[in-house]
Amino acid sequence: MRRDRDPAAGAVAVVGTGMAAARFAERFHALGGRGEVTLYGAEPAAPYNRVLLTDVLTGRYGAEALTLPYGAAVARTGCEVTAVDPGARVLRLADGTRAAYDALVLATGAEPVLPPVRGLRGPDGSLREGVHVFRTLDDCRRLAGAAASAERAVVIGGGVLGVSAARALTVPGRGRRLPGGLPVEIVQLAPHLAERHLDAQAAALLRHGLAALGVAVSAGSRARALRGTGRVTGVELACGRVLDADLVVLACGVRPRTGPARAAGLPVRTGVVVDDALACAPGVYAIGDCAEHRGVAHGTALAAWDQADVLAARLSGADPGAVYRGSRPLARLTAGPWSTRRSARPGVRARGSTCSGWPTPPAARTGSSCCAATGSSAASSWATRPRPAPSPGSTSGTTRCPWTPFPC
């Protein structure tokens, strides 16, 4: 144990290898931090940009294009942290070993919310065949494989992720109905799509654009049960209507992953409760989707980046007095590929008070603006028409900074 060492020169353990964790590690060393930073993650992949997963699903990007920089840190992927001991400043790992630290950063992210739908799980307790969540790179690969042989898909949840997943599944070449993509229907409990982010008029425009891609929408509907024995064959709605489907995507939001913090006796409400220094206990901090600050668990990429930057400044010694006071919401909504931000018509707006997107670094703010909106770190493109992939070797005025989720 190294309790007396300054985190700027000591050992910093980061539980998580997601976007917040990678951003913190990259900024910590960029700001002059000399300490050993180690990222511990259960996923086998190196840190990657989760926001772009739907573009991997469409085939626009390969998985390798999502890799994020994490400075001079060590990333121990496939190494799950099973317990945290804040008093002893020790982590217990799934392989039975322990790791000491001087400062601990919890960046455990969030996990998918599963809806209360009958028949969701098989006899062994796992999701039944044909039912998928869409949160990780492995989820993306499994969903892409299933979509290749599917006949019809239903997406339960009409928020940012649900809309993005539905659009991705309509890409030509998906499913057995070539050359068109899968027929998809979104089941949305709220009266219109993306109700947290769009008003009714904007949502109507989005629905119209999705319809042109072959995506139907059942708004104001609740999925009650899944049909079929073994593999799913349909989705039964509360009204009694049954939607045929051999592929079901669950996109019902996420909740902060707080298990390790709660078990360690750290303060947890919706998320891990932190103060303006992003601390939840002496020497313990939380950032990203798992953190709750001033009663708000932001769950957005923008907030994750802001929090990572503040904590990196504090722990590196570059600005020991840096504080986090919240993140300014940001909404981007566009009507087509590579277009600049604009309102579709007077009176149609996105609700910027709740919709956030991964911010574009100043160096990347040239040419067209990011052509999408994001409301969570798991979200991807809002564009309702497929965006053309750049030809090999072509720049066409388009670049992708690793910290920018969309080409600019």
Side-chain angles (χ1 to χ4, degrees):
M1 291 180 288
R2 295 167 284 196
R3 301 188 185 194
D4 57 337
R5 292 179 63 183
D6 185 341
V12 181
V14 182
V15 182
T17 54
M19 298 175 75
R23 178 69 181 182
F24 165 80
E26 190 269 338
R27 296 306 302 153
F28 178 87
H29 289 116
L31 292 171
R34 294 171 287 110
E36 306 165 358
V37 178
T38 304
L39 311 181
Y40 298 88
E43 287 191 59
Y48 60 89
N49 191 335
R50 198 182 305 276
V51 173
L52 286 173
L53 283 176
T54 50
D55 281 319
V56 174
L57 185 59
T58 64
R60 177 174 176 77
Y61 294 126
E64 67 284 351
L66 274 59
T67 303
L68 291 173
Y70 49 94
V74 174
R76 295 188 59 179
T77 57
C79 184
E80 182 181 4
V81 173
T82 58
V84 174
D85 186 340
R89 300 200 180 190
V90 169
L91 302 179
R92 294 187 179 90
L93 309 179
D95 62 7
T97 62
R98 298 186 178 197
Y101 63 83
D102 297 301
L104 175 64
V105 179
L106 299 175
T108 49
E111 56 195 0
V113 172
L114 301 184
V117 175
R118 294 198 308 270
L120 199 63
R121 299 183 182 276
D124 63 353
S126 62
L127 293 178
R128 67 191 299 179
E129 187 179 0
V131 180
H132 297 261
V133 292
F134 189 31
R135 178 70 181 169
T136 69
L137 194 53
D138 281 346
D139 292 338
C140 184
R141 291 188 178 110
R142 285 190 288 265
L143 180 56
S149 59
E151 293 280 359
R152 184 175 179 83
V154 167
V155 177
I156 300 178
V160 176
L161 182 60
V163 168
S164 301
R167 184 193 66 84
L169 291 172
T170 65
V171 169
R174 290 287 177 209
R176 295 176 181 171
R177 301 190 181 189
L178 301 177
L182 272 174
V184 181
E185 185 152 354
I186 296 173
V187 175
Q188 166 73 332
L189 183 60
H192 63 257
L193 293 171
E195 81 287 353
R196 290 182 57 201
H197 313 308
L198 302 179
D199 62 18
Q201 287 179 290
L205 291 176
L206 177 60
R207 182 169 180 168
H208 178 76
L210 289 170
L213 295 175
V215 178
V217 178
S218 291
S221 300
R222 179 175 64 86
R224 180 168 60 189
L226 299 186
R227 293 287 188 92
T229 56
R231 184 179 182 87
V232 65
T233 60
V235 177
E236 179 185 334
L237 305 184
C239 65
R241 181 180 168 216
V242 176
L243 308 177
D244 292 335
D246 56 354
L247 178 65
V248 174
V249 180
L250 306 177
C252 302
V254 296
R255 64 168 59 92
R257 186 176 284 113
T258 59
R262 191 183 298 276
L266 297 171
V268 174
R269 288 197 291 262
T270 299
V272 182
V273 179
V274 298
D275 57 20
D276 288 358
L278 297 169
C280 56
V284 185
Y285 308 86
I287 57 174
D289 289 356
C290 72
E292 178 181 337
H293 173 260
R294 297 187 180 184
V296 178
H298 288 277
T300 66
L302 174 64
W305 192 14
D306 288 344
Q307 292 168 3
D309 286 354
V310 168
L311 188 58
R314 290 185 65 90
L315 297 190
S316 68
D319 185 0
V323 294
Y324 175 73
R325 302 193 186 281
S327 297
R328 183 174 64 87
L330 172 67
R332 292 189 179 107
L333 177 63
T334 61
W338 315 113
S339 56
T340 56
R341 274 182 297 177
R342 61 189 182 276
S343 176
R345 65 173 182 263
V348 177
R349 61 186 177 85
R351 291 178 177 168
S353 59
T354 57
C355 179
S356 298
W358 196 261
T360 306
R365 290 175 184 160
T366 58
S368 298
S369 64
C370 292
C371 56
T374 56
S376 74
S377 61
S380 187
S381 174
W382 280 83
T384 55
R385 292 194 294 272
R387 291 169 287 163
S391 58
S394 170
T395 56
S396 63
T398 302
T399 59
R400 186 181 70 83
C401 169
W403 294 109
T404 308
F406 305 104
C408 295

